[in-house]
Amino acid sequence: MSNVATRFAPSPTGALHIGGVRTALFNWLFSKNKKGTFHLRIEDTDKERSKDEHKIQIIKSLKWIGIEHDGEEYIQSTKIKDHIDIANKLLHNGNAYKCYCSNEEIEEQKKRARQKKLPYIYNRKWRDIPDSEAPKDIKPVIRFKSKTEGSTVLKDLVQGDVEIDNDTIEDFIILSMNEHYIKNIDENYLYKHLVEYCEI
């Protein structure tokens, strides 16, 4: 196994907690054991909740623990233009679409899912509706157009091959038009291995 690169990507919407330390530690140990690199990416694209004091606390806490990242930390908010460009390319290529559902509609969908004791998945209402029918008074979000047929197999080094039915994967939001919330859609390919926490 060569060219191992891992990353820890905390959000500065709060202080670093023990679960985040565990994820950072596993990524750091794995990369160093394989003579690879470990990177720190600060997910500060939620403008309304991200705080500089939390970012500083996260960086200082990791250094205090002894988890040193390679190179400079990546600050996601400095790359917002790149995210917007990629979201627009996905729109142009038909791999994403504008969703005009109001917050009230989304909350109603979530309420119905809770009543049926089902996991919430956005109902893809705007997936195939042309922009010409879009309401004028609602700013849309951009959603990734996930596959709805067949299945996807994830190559997991711990659990082995994990097969997921594509119709259970949500058309997740990648960009809000007010740019207060931007999902990371373009950078995980930079890392050779992703170490994530999950319940098994």
Side-chain angles (χ1 to χ4, degrees), residues 134-152:
K136 304 299 183 183
D137 57 339
I138 297 179
K139 287 186 176 181
V141 298
I142 297 178
R143 290 182 179 271
F144 183 76
K145 189 177 286 187
S146 300
K147 294 179 180 179
T148 58
E149 298 179 354
S151 61
T152 297

Side-chain angles (χ1 to χ4, degrees), residues 84 140-142 173-183:
I84 294 172
V141 298
I142 297 178
I173 296 172
I174 56 176
L175 179 69
S176 66
M177 299 308 283
N178 60 13
E179 299 173 21
H180 279 291
Y181 183 72
I182 301 175
K183 277 283 189 181

Side-chain angles (χ1 to χ4, degrees), residues 12-94:
T13 55
L16 181 67
H17 54 80
I18 191 64
V21 171
R22 175 181 55 187
T23 301
L25 179 62
F26 285 174
N27 276 277
W28 182 80
L29 287 172
F30 182 75
S31 64
K32 297 310 171 186
N33 179 257
K34 301 299 181 182
K35 302 187 186 310
T37 56
F38 169 72
H39 303 275
L40 177 62
R41 188 174 79 190
I42 302 296
E43 304 283 2
D44 62 340
T45 51
D46 185 339
K47 294 181 181 180
E48 294 180 343
R49 298 191 301 143
S50 294
K51 306 293 182 185
D52 283 341
E53 56 262 35
H54 296 319
K55 177 175 69 176
I56 293 169
Q57 185 269 345
I58 289 169
I59 294 171
K60 286 185 174 180
S61 295
L62 290 173
K63 289 181 178 178
W64 180 78
I65 294 167
I67 300 176
E68 296 278 356
H69 59 275
D70 295 293
E72 295 294 321
E73 57 266 7
Y74 295 94
I75 307 298
Q76 286 295 83
S77 61
T78 64
K79 301 183 179 182
I80 287 179
K81 182 181 182 300
D82 294 337
H83 287 259
I84 294 172
D85 288 345
I86 290 174
N88 286 329
K89 286 179 182 177
L90 289 169
L91 276 174
H92 179 75
N93 294 334

Side-chain angles (χ1 to χ4, degrees), residues 67-180:
I67 300 176
E68 296 278 356
H69 59 275
D70 295 293
E72 295 294 321
E73 57 266 7
Y74 295 94
I75 307 298
Q76 286 295 83
S77 61
T78 64
K79 301 183 179 182
I80 287 179
K81 182 181 182 300
D82 294 337
H83 287 259
I84 294 172
D85 288 345
I86 290 174
N88 286 329
K89 286 179 182 177
L90 289 169
L91 276 174
H92 179 75
N93 294 334
N95 298 123
Y97 62 96
K98 293 179 181 179
C99 169
Y100 293 87
C101 284
S102 65
N103 290 333
E104 291 75 19
E105 285 182 274
I106 297 297
E107 287 303 315
E108 182 61 29
Q109 291 179 34
K110 291 179 179 179
K111 179 181 176 181
R112 288 199 296 267
R114 287 194 298 269
Q115 290 173 342
K116 297 178 181 179
K117 297 181 179 181
L118 296 173
Y120 165 71
I121 297 178
Y122 169 65
N123 65 8
R124 301 184 173 95
K125 173 182 176 180
W126 285 93
R127 184 178 171 109
D128 299 310
I129 298 179
D131 285 345
S132 59
E133 298 182 25
K136 304 299 183 183
D137 57 339
I138 297 179
K139 287 186 176 181
V141 298
I142 297 178
R143 290 182 179 271
F144 183 76
K145 189 177 286 187
S146 300
K147 294 179 180 179
T148 58
E149 298 179 354
S151 61
T152 297
V153 177
L154 305 179
K155 301 291 184 180
D156 192 296
L157 295 179
V158 176
Q159 302 178 68
D161 288 355
V162 179
E163 186 172 1
I164 301 173
D165 291 335
N166 288 333
D167 62 2
T168 66
I169 302 175
E170 186 176 22
D171 287 359
F172 49 88
I173 296 172
I174 56 176
L175 179 69
S176 66
M177 299 308 283
N178 60 13
E179 299 173 21
H180 279 291

